[in-house]
Amino acid sequence: MREKSQELQDGLVEEQGEGWRPQRHGWPNSMAESSVESPGNFPANELALLVTLCVTKGQSVRTTHRLTKPKASIGKTGGGADVQIDDPEVCPLHCAVAITENGVRLYDLDSVNGTRIDDERVQVADLQDLSAFRIGSTEFVVSVVPNVR
C-alpha cells in the first residue's frame, strides 16, 4: 500500500513538474531562463524588488523565505519545490511566485486544494506589499520593498 502511495505521489510530482513551465503561465523568456536553484545566476542585488514570504499561520508558522531569484515554486516538504512547507494539504508543487517588473505575481500550479486570496480560489494574481495568500492551512504574507542598489 505504501509503495502504491509513493508511486502516486511520484506521478503527481512528475505531472505537476511538467506543468511547471514558465511559458505556460506567460512569463517573459528572461525569467524562464533563470533557475531558482542555480547559484549566482541572478544575484539578489540585481532584482528590482526584495521579496520575502512570511508564514503567518500553519505548521511552518514564523518561517520566512527570501526570494533571491526571479521565480520560485512553493510546495510540500520533500516535494522538490524551491520553498518547502510542512502542510499535508499542500501539493508537492502547489504554486509559484515570480518577481515581475511591476511587482509579484502568484500562480497556482493546478493544485488539488487551490491557492486562495481572501478565501477565493485564484489561478493568477498580482500581489502587493503585505498581501496574504493561503495554500492548504498555511498562510503567507508577502513583503515587497524596492531594492536600493
Side-chain angles (χ1 to χ4, degrees):
M1 181 77 169
R2 188 162 176 87
E3 278 183 38
K4 183 105 173 144
S5 175
Q6 185 62 43
E7 284 177 29
L8 288 172
Q9 182 177 357
D10 291 345
L12 182 61
V13 169
E14 185 176 327
E15 177 183 315
Q16 288 185 338
E18 271 305 305
W20 175 223
R21 301 278 187 256
Q23 296 84 357
R24 177 172 182 250
H25 297 288
W27 294 0
N29 286 337
S30 62
M31 288 184 183
E33 299 299 322
S34 298
S35 167
V36 175
E37 297 190 338
S38 298
N41 201 21
F42 201 112
N45 63 358
E46 291 183 20
L47 293 173
L49 300 172
L50 297 177
V51 178
T52 304
L53 304 176
C54 305
V55 179
T56 58
K57 291 181 184 171
Q59 292 179 340
S60 297
V61 70
R62 296 191 192 115
T63 59
T64 60
H65 306 273
R66 183 166 174 216
L67 301 186
T68 59
K69 304 293 178 193
K71 64 180 182 80
S73 58
I74 303 171
K76 180 185 344 189
T77 301
D82 300 310
V83 174
Q84 298 186 22
I85 57 170
D86 184 16
D87 188 332
E89 297 175 39
V90 171
C91 294
L93 291 172
H94 196 101
C95 64
V97 291
I99 300 173
T100 66
E101 292 177 9
N102 301 321
V104 178
R105 186 159 289 158
L106 173 68
Y107 300 89
D108 185 78
L109 297 177
D110 298 326
S111 63
V112 173
N113 293 325
T115 300
R116 300 181 182 279
I117 296 177
D118 296 329
D119 286 327
E120 288 188 40
R121 192 169 180 158
V122 297
Q123 289 297 314
V124 177
D126 290 320
L127 302 174
Q128 307 301 319
D129 186 38
L130 302 181
S131 293
F133 68 94
R134 181 173 55 84
I135 61 174
S137 60
T138 302
E139 185 171 288
F140 292 88
V141 172
V142 181
S143 169
V144 181
V145 296
N147 186 1
V148 180
R149 300 173 205 180

